Amino acid sequence: MTTHSDIPLRELKKAKNKITLYEAGLSLMQGRMFSQVMLEDICRRAELSKVTFFKFYQRKEDILVYFMRIWLTERIIEIETEGKKGFQAFRHLLSQVAKEHQVRPGMMPSLISFLAEQNMQPSMPELSPAEVSLLFPGQEEAGSLSPNMYELFQQFMKEEAQAGNLNKALTLEQAVQMGFTVFYGAFLTAQLYNSTDIERFYETHLGLLETKKEE
């Protein structure tokens, strides 16, 4: 595994500029949607030019995908470090969405809107060794692995199926699909009900995946 000291300074500088632009974009999202954040404002906040921006990102929305890559990797590291499995791991993921919403209420709606426009889950970007070193110090091996939400949800459902806790009326594939429905749909439902208790809506929907007591 490449260590920080093995990385050329030029590569570290490039990675720092890319991360600075990413962090500038996030800092401008407090209280507004990403669509309301202007590219000029991102560059001004980062104190970098548009030319530099386009060296790292093809379009402004790539910052959202970069966020997904970093955020999901951080959650996977937490889940593995804490030894969480199945629904416990899924609940941890959902609780972190709720916490993120408190900090940047526009992030999840922006992601959902972006994904709806793309009509697909975007491919997670590969990170350079320099990016991994800066973003995940001490966790470079885990940080270098590009996360896959489908595989992660499949892992959660398999673990619960093996434990006998997955709703027996569902196939594994249906359970994975419902995992995505819970992750995105329950959040939207909470928004439609103008509720700040995101976790309550997650918990209600998550119950559909679990084995009923009478079963």
Side-chain angles (χ1 to χ4, degrees), residues 16-54:
K16 285 178 181 177
N17 284 342
K18 184 176 183 179
I19 293 168
T20 296
L21 286 162
Y22 157 72
E23 292 176 341
L26 293 194
S27 71
L28 291 166
M29 282 196 67
Q30 295 179 355
R32 53 178 161 169
M33 294 282 286
F34 190 69
S35 60
Q36 299 171 311
V37 176
M38 299 295 102
L39 177 58
E40 292 80 0
D41 295 334
I42 294 173
C43 294
R44 188 177 299 111
R45 178 67 62 91
E47 297 183 347
L48 294 167
S49 68
K50 284 187 181 180
V51 172
T52 301
F53 181 92
F54 287 114

Side-chain angles (χ1 to χ4, degrees), residues 1 11 14-15 18-19 55-57 62 65-70 73 122-133 135-136 140-148 151:
M1 179 59 61
E11 293 302 312
K14 286 168 57 179
K18 184 176 183 179
I19 293 168
K55 285 181 180 178
F56 304 117
Y57 305 102
D62 286 348
V65 182
Y66 200 67
F67 169 83
M68 288 182 68
R69 166 66 164 91
I70 295 170
T73 301
S123 298
M124 296 293 179
E126 295 291 336
L127 303 183
S128 70
E131 289 172 79
V132 171
S133 176
L135 291 166
F136 308 105
E140 287 86 355
E141 185 174 356
S144 65
L145 301 175
S146 186
N148 183 303
E151 292 177 357

